[in-house]
Amino acid sequence: GAGVSQTPSNKVTEKGKYVELRCDPISGHTALYWYRQSLGQGPEFLIYFQGTGAADDSGLPNDRFFAVRPEGSVSTLKIQRTERGDSAVYLCASSVHRGNTDTQYFGPGTRLTVL
Amino acid sequence: AQSVTQLGSHVSVSEGALVLLRCNYSSSVPPYLFWYVQYPNQGLQLLLKYTSAATLVKGINGFEAEFKKSETSFHLTKPSAHMSDAAEYFCAVIGKTGNQFYFGTGTSLTVIP
């Protein structure tokens, strides 16, 4: 079956621009997560959705970052006024439902480069 | 708070040799622990997970890990390395709220023919 997909796979933008990163979770998965992975580091949690609502956004670094999931399926991570420090791989994951032991299935990521 | 530490950012083993990747955890609550593997240009794939059942957990591709509370460890092992095992490996602990993973910094495994 189809896994988690993310588009685009690569995004190059200039400092100060606005970008949107898209995540298509596995069909039927109610929980969706965004992580950011910087070079040489493990993924860092950004935000978690249960259905349409952001249940935990404690990992968003500042108010330039925002994410939505209006219909409880596809999610978009939005970054305003991008900075060079935002360059990283942005990972999306989904799970059947929220639970400590639920397996999170990860997409291949979007590599964001801010020049 | 929860965290994991992976000792050794790079590990090299010969093909057919034992693979041992180290992970130590810190958790204020009973932990749930995971190992993920990341192949180049691919997403993270679950290898195995510990969820307070058996302390010796068997995963895919011949990997296993043992939860040792006394040592706060969850090391990943495989008896005989294959060339296809070359990848980045991440240990992770689930957060107290159960919403997020805390990942280690990863260990890059190289398999020498």
Side-chain angles (χ1 to χ4, degrees):
Chain A
V4 178
S5 63
Q6 294 186 245
T7 54
S9 55
N10 281 284
K11 176 70 177 177
V12 181
T13 191
E14 294 179 343
K15 180 176 178 296
K17 299 291 187 182
Y18 168 82
V19 297
E20 290 189 352
L21 312 179
R22 176 187 167 107
C23 172
D24 252 295
I26 294 172
S27 178
H29 282 195
T30 61
L32 186 145
Y33 310 79
W34 283 99
Y35 293 82
R36 178 169 70 174
Q37 187 175 15
S38 300
L39 193 62
Q41 300 295 317
E44 293 179 288
F45 171 80
L46 294 176
I47 187 170
Y48 153 68
F49 288 88
Q50 182 60 251
T52 60
D56 183 351
D57 64 358
S58 62
L60 293 178
N62 52 59
D63 61 6
R64 294 187 298 105
F65 289 75
F66 189 72
V68 296
R69 195 186 185 200
E71 297 178 358
S73 178
V74 171
S75 176
T76 304
L77 178 66
K78 307 181 181 191
I79 311 174
Q80 299 177 319
R81 304 183 304 281
T82 52
E83 300 178 356
R84 292 193 178 87
D86 299 334
S87 296
V89 176
Y90 289 82
L91 299 170
C92 177
S94 69
S95 64
V96 175
H97 52 74
R98 182 271 192 196
N100 287 13
T101 62
D102 276 358
T103 298
Q104 294 185 20
Y105 296 87
F106 283 80
T110 293
R111 183 176 298 278
L112 175 66
T113 303
V114 182
L115 301 177
Chain B
Q2 286 75 32
S3 66
V4 292
T5 301
Q6 292 183 243
L7 299 175
S9 58
H10 297 276
V11 170
S12 292
V13 300
S14 297
E15 190 175 16
L18 171 72
V19 176
L20 171 61
L21 305 182
R22 300 177 186 275
C23 174
N24 288 86
Y25 70 89
S26 172
S27 180
S28 56
V29 297
Y32 295 141
L33 294 156
F34 301 74
W35 275 99
Y36 276 84
V37 61
Q38 187 174 34
Y39 298 101
N41 300 317
Q42 293 188 30
L44 290 140
Q45 179 182 2
L46 180 70
L47 276 176
L48 48 80
K49 61 183 179 182
Y50 166 75
T51 58
S52 73
T55 57
L56 181 62
V57 182
K58 294 187 184 298
I60 63 171
N61 300 339
F63 284 93
E64 64 181 38
E66 186 172 8
F67 173 73
K68 292 187 177 180
K69 184 177 179 180
S70 61
E71 300 177 8
T72 62
S73 68
F74 190 58
H75 302 331
L76 182 71
T77 60
K78 181 174 180 177
S80 177
H82 294 165
M83 296 298 296
S84 60
D85 294 329
E88 188 87 16
Y89 292 80
F90 293 94
C91 181
V93 63
I94 199 75
K96 190 174 182 179
T97 60
N99 295 334
Q100 56 180 282
F101 284 120
Y102 292 95
F103 283 89
T105 52
T107 297
S108 177
L109 176 66
T110 299
V111 182
I112 303 166

